[in-house]
Amino acid sequence: MLALLKTVVARDLRLAMRRQADIVSALFFFIIVVSLFPLGVGPEPDLLRRLAPGVLWVAALLATMLSLPRLFADDFRDGTLEQLALTPQPLAVAVFGKTLAHWLSSGLPLTLLSPLIGMQFDLPGDAVWTLVLALAIGTPALSAIGAIGAALTLGLRGGGVLLSLLVLPLYIPVLIFGAGAVDATAGGIAAQAHLSVLAALSLGGLFFAPWATAAALRIALE
Amino acid sequence: MNNGLLNWFKFASPQSFYPLAGKMIPWFWALAAVLGAAGLYIGFFVAPTDAQQGEGYRIIFLHVPAAWMSMFIYLVMAFWAAIGLIYKTRLSGMMASALAPTGALLTLLALWTGAFWGKPMWGAWWVWDARLTSELILFFLYIGFIALQAAIDDPRRADKAGAILALVGAVNIPIIYFSVKWWNTLHQGASVSLSKSPSMATTMLWGMLLCALAFWMYSIAVALMRVRSIILERERGTEWVRQRLTSAAR
């Protein structure tokens, strides 16, 4: 099972590295969406500092979703997914591996990029660190929950829009606690409670979501 | 001894459920009408005027039952979805998709009447109160379920995919509710709260309960009607549907 996990993660990462344009365009989507907000609401630093946590998190949600349709689509098309479903190991393990690879190629780059944008929004130093920490802890949940939506919409007409309709309401808790953590630090309160809940959401999501995703994939493969 | 069990499985087949549902629908409509008339009569003529809210409070006789039913129907939907996934009965999936539009409608009704109530009471059509926000999210979940089922052409796949989504949603509803609640207390403080005064007049409570029962019966009646048309649509290739339709046309 561990061997399968390792193989799937390594394979998906290699595939992602062969198509770096996908990763980079999702990152630039993130940067552009965030940059639109000052243009929309005005450049006052106080207002931007207030908005930054929410704006950054919403942009992160959207950027993660952008890469979700590709999570299973290519493997579905060339039959790899079918082979994975036929292996004696549980399909959920392979799904877990793909979720991890998705996080490494979408959530992690976002996290690494976020301090730069936090500084653009004039966030204080400790709030920037909380932002990085919150994104690092929270984005795995986005990949895990998003995988359910990606599996349910596999091969459907208008899959992308439908995917956002299904997944975004389920992202709300992550958004609340992620943005709440940064807000709390900026307001001078410890963010530990928020970060703990965020970690709980991620761990719960990473543990339970692959089973639901695997069930959804089996339906799509029928 | 086994007859009870046997009968239940008998009605799991669309063919035998179709006439049963047809027989039940008028009863549920009648119950809905009687209970609704009684509830509205109590609500509008018997219940006293509220000391603080005046006559405007009377919208709760529609609002609260709609909100209750909107949540309850999602649970029922998730229940049928689970039954469908476990026993692979066709009827369960049909029940789930028959319930979804009614649930979405009642959620919308609850939001709408809530806005009508909020304007005179709070001076705003909408506030980001925890309950309002989670009801709105519930509406999104219903829309997602309906949209997913509408996008899938194969009804069997639509049923199963919808079932997984309904179950994932049902697991998530408490998480969403509590996170929204926490978010609300963090951001808003104690500006407005929906919590009612504990000393609600008994007549008001009766009116509300009767209306809730009326909504319940209405939901069952409408869901049964919808499930009957879904059965006809999906089983249109079978012999019994053809026979029924030709005998009805004759």
Side-chain angles (χ1 to χ4, degrees), chain A residues 50 76 145 148 151-157 162 165-166 169-170 172-173 176-177 180 183 193-194 197 201 212-213 215-217 219-220 222, chain B residues 85 137 140-141 143-145 147-148 150-154 156-158 160-162 164-165 168-169 172 175-176 178-180 182-183 186-187:
Chain A
R50 225 14 231 102
F76 180 59
I145 300 169
I148 304 177
L152 283 174
T153 54
L154 197 54
L156 297 184
R157 291 172 265 121
L162 188 59
L165 212 58
L166 302 186
L170 302 178
I172 288 168
I176 288 174
F177 290 108
D183 252 350
H194 287 93
V197 177
L201 288 173
T213 311
L217 284 178
I219 293 169
E222 259 173 24
Chain B
L85 277 183
I137 296 166
F140 294 156
L141 291 178
I143 296 299
F145 180 85
L148 177 66
I152 305 176
D153 291 327
D154 173 23
R156 296 288 289 156
R157 189 184 163 190
K160 286 186 189 168
I164 289 181
L165 185 67
V168 169
N172 263 288
I175 302 176
I176 293 176
F178 283 109
S179 44
V180 168
W182 200 6
W183 160 78
L186 278 177
H187 278 248

Side-chain angles (χ1 to χ4, degrees), chain A residues 13-25:
Chain A
L13 279 182
R14 194 173 307 129
L15 282 175
M17 288 320 283
R18 294 274 157 83
R19 268 183 305 168
Q20 291 165 349
D22 288 358
I23 303 177
V24 176
S25 55

Side-chain angles (χ1 to χ4, degrees), chain B residues 88-247:
Chain B
K88 308 227 185 302
T89 42
R90 277 175 299 163
L91 192 61
S92 317
M94 298 183 194
M95 276 308 278
S97 33
L99 281 164
T102 308
L105 186 75
L106 288 178
T107 319
L108 191 65
L109 189 67
L111 290 169
W112 202 282
T113 51
F116 279 148
W117 183 82
K119 187 62 184 168
M121 300 304 159
W122 299 336
W125 294 107
W126 180 265
V127 293
W128 290 94
D129 176 85
R131 291 199 208 187
L132 273 76
T133 313
S134 29
E135 187 78 5
L136 183 67
I137 296 166
L138 182 67
F139 184 59
F140 294 156
L141 291 178
Y142 273 121
I143 296 299
F145 180 85
I146 297 171
L148 177 66
Q149 291 214 319
I152 305 176
D153 291 327
D154 173 23
R156 296 288 289 156
R157 189 184 163 190
D159 277 350
K160 286 186 189 168
I164 289 181
L165 185 67
L167 287 176
V168 169
V171 171
N172 263 288
I173 281 177
I175 302 176
I176 293 176
Y177 178 71
F178 283 109
S179 44
V180 168
K181 205 168 169 176
W182 200 6
W183 160 78
N184 182 258
T185 48
L186 278 177
H187 278 248
Q188 280 213 184
S191 58
V192 279
S193 153
L194 265 176
S195 40
K196 283 181 280 305
S197 53
S199 57
M200 188 187 231
T202 19
T203 41
M204 290 186 196
L205 197 63
W206 270 110
M208 219 154 77
L209 282 177
L210 284 173
C211 279
L213 283 175
F215 269 62
W216 196 345
M217 296 303 129
Y218 159 82
S219 310
I220 295 176
V222 173
L224 286 179
M225 285 173 81
R226 205 173 282 121
V227 91
R228 260 164 70 99
S229 24
I230 294 176
I231 289 176
L232 281 189
E233 196 186 335
R234 292 207 190 159
E235 311 269 303
R236 61 181 177 272
T238 59
E239 193 53 37
W240 71 270
V241 170
R242 208 167 295 143
Q243 270 173 10
R244 180 166 281 273
L245 288 182
T246 46
S247 67

Side-chain angles (χ1 to χ4, degrees), chain A:
Chain A
M1 256 163 46
L2 265 183
L4 175 73
L5 189 68
K6 237 186 272 174
T7 318
V8 170
V9 173
R11 173 180 170 277
D12 272 28
L13 279 182
R14 194 173 307 129
L15 282 175
M17 288 320 283
R18 294 274 157 83
R19 268 183 305 168
Q20 291 165 349
D22 288 358
I23 303 177
V24 176
S25 55
L27 273 183
F28 270 95
F29 175 80
F30 176 63
I31 298 173
I32 290 173
V33 167
V34 171
S35 312
L36 287 179
F37 276 87
L39 298 173
V41 300
E44 293 83 14
D46 282 341
L47 181 66
L48 289 184
R49 216 176 293 133
R50 225 14 231 102
L51 286 180
V55 167
L56 273 158
W57 264 98
V58 170
L61 252 59
L62 296 177
T64 316
M65 260 196 28
L66 207 61
S67 50
L68 277 177
R70 280 194 304 271
L71 182 56
F72 299 115
D74 293 339
D75 289 349
F76 180 59
R77 212 172 301 124
D78 66 9
T80 314
L81 203 60
E82 211 151 321
Q83 299 305 317
L84 276 177
L86 290 176
T87 51
Q89 280 83 16
L91 181 57
V93 174
V95 170
F96 181 65
K98 289 184 83 67
T99 310
L100 279 185
H102 179 261
W103 178 71
L104 287 172
S105 60
S106 76
L108 191 61
L110 281 186
T111 309
L112 297 177
L113 196 71
S114 60
L116 211 61
I117 298 183
M119 283 191 276
Q120 267 192 321
F121 276 71
D122 197 27
L123 277 178
D126 49 347
V128 170
W129 286 119
T130 316
L131 175 71
V132 175
L133 203 58
L135 278 171
I137 297 176
T139 39
L142 300 184
S143 296
I145 300 169
I148 304 177
L152 283 174
T153 54
L154 197 54
L156 297 184
R157 291 172 265 121
V161 183
L162 188 59
L163 179 64
S164 51
L165 212 58
L166 302 186
V167 164
L168 283 179
L170 302 178
Y171 277 176
I172 288 168
V174 181
L175 171 67
I176 288 174
F177 290 108
V182 188
D183 252 350
T185 313
I189 323 168
Q192 206 182 2
H194 287 93
L195 292 177
S196 306
V197 177
L198 213 52
L201 288 173
S202 269
L203 290 176
L206 282 175
F207 184 78
F208 289 110
W211 301 101
T213 311
L217 284 178
R218 287 200 190 279
I219 293 169
L221 286 172
E222 259 173 24

